[in-house]
Amino acid sequence: MLTYETVRSDSAIRTYIQRADESLVALGFTEHSFAHVTHVAETAGYILETLGYPERTVELVKIAGYLHDIGNLVNRIDHSQSGAVMAFRILDRLQCDPAEIATIVTAIGNHDEGTGLPVNAVAAALILADKSDVRRSRVRNQDMTTFDIHDRVNYSVKKSQLKINEEHSLIKLKLSVETKYGSIMDYFEIFMQRMLLCRKAAEKLGLQFKLMINEQQLI
């Protein structure tokens, strides 16, 4: 069976991720390279493992998380769909089981807030992991005077934590935000649609979703 570690060590996959991120650098986007995809993979795995999903399902969501942004190699627009097609070819080359390919490809194709929905547990965990990755280290622009709203929002986040409670009834995204760099209204301007998708994803997993910014509940 195909493993997460095999996917991580595949040279072709690493090339696609690197080149996709290079395209986003040219477009002025925040970091979408190995730090981001590894964070998403491991956070998605944490979600399903904590909720008691089978070990193999946890492995599949980690694979989906690692591959989820390769479509940026083609274009930022519709990158979830192009990434799903790319992932299909990659996974088929690696002789992944067709049923598992279907699960991974479906999750990748549904992770973007513009067109995606949490159609299954793997897709739901991927959405939550991806949309919660907000952090200062994703900002690559070193000139604060030229920050756009995405730079300001990510740079303002000193700490981000996504946790499931002990009762497995609630998943909470807690952000510590320095408002001198970006306001809470800035955050909602670009993240509201993503947070609403997170709420749907949480519901798919039988959870309630809460967003806390500076200890205040906003969703």
Side-chain angles (χ1 to χ4, degrees):
M1 290 187 292
L2 183 65
T3 67
Y4 170 55
E5 290 303 323
T6 298
V7 169
R8 287 188 67 190
S9 62
D10 187 90
S11 60
I13 292 171
R14 294 186 65 83
T15 297
Y16 300 149
I17 293 171
Q18 181 180 350
R19 293 292 184 88
D21 188 53
E22 287 173 4
S23 294
L24 294 184
V25 170
L27 294 171
F29 279 82
T30 52
E31 182 266 324
H32 284 72
S33 190
F34 299 108
H36 172 62
V37 299
T38 300
H39 176 89
V40 171
E42 295 180 357
T43 301
Y46 152 77
I47 292 169
L48 293 191
E49 184 176 23
T50 301
L51 295 176
Y53 279 82
E55 183 178 343
R56 188 59 191 162
T57 306
V58 173
E59 194 78 357
L60 295 183
V61 82
K62 290 168 75 173
I63 293 171
Y66 199 75
L67 296 175
H68 81 282
D69 266 344
I70 57 173
N72 286 307
L73 182 67
V74 179
N75 198 294
R76 180 60 181 173
I77 297 171
D78 296 329
H79 75 283
S80 58
Q81 284 79 23
S82 54
V85 174
M86 289 179 65
F88 176 88
R89 293 293 302 272
I90 291 167
L91 296 169
D92 188 53
R93 170 176 64 82
L94 294 174
Q95 299 183 327
C96 186
D97 176 78
E100 295 187 344
I101 291 176
T103 298
I104 295 166
V105 166
T106 296
I108 293 172
N110 278 281
H111 84 269
D112 187 68
E113 66 272 13
T115 56
L117 288 170
V119 294
N120 56 38
V122 172
L126 175 57
I127 287 167
L128 286 161
D130 182 39
K131 306 315 172 192
S132 64
D133 187 19
V134 188
R135 51 187 163 81
R136 180 168 293 182
S137 57
R138 293 193 72 184
V139 178
R140 290 184 282 213
N141 182 359
Q142 299 300 306
D143 183 359
M144 290 186 186
T145 64
T146 63
F147 274 6
D148 64 13
I149 188 170
H150 291 84
D151 292 330
R152 291 199 305 272
V153 166
N154 279 276
Y155 196 84
S156 70
V157 177
K158 294 190 299 181
K159 185 177 180 181
S160 172
Q161 185 180 47
L162 186 72
K163 287 293 182 182
I164 298 171
N165 66 354
E166 291 184 2
E167 295 77 19
H168 296 174
S169 60
L170 171 70
I171 187 165
K172 184 186 296 184
L173 175 59
K174 293 182 66 176
L175 302 177
S176 176
V177 173
E178 285 189 296
T179 55
K180 66 180 179 180
Y181 297 114
S183 70
I184 292 175
M185 285 305 297
D186 280 344
Y187 181 89
F188 276 106
E189 183 176 339
I190 63 171
F191 281 101
M192 176 59 83
Q193 192 176 1
R194 301 179 193 183
M195 295 300 97
L196 293 176
L197 183 58
C198 281
R199 185 163 66 184
K200 292 179 181 178
E203 290 170 354
K204 183 70 177 181
L205 296 170
L207 301 169
Q208 181 184 1
F209 176 75
K210 285 188 179 180
L211 171 65
M212 306 285 293
I213 298 181
N214 294 344
E215 301 300 327
Q216 293 185 343
Q217 182 180 332
L218 299 177
I219 292 181

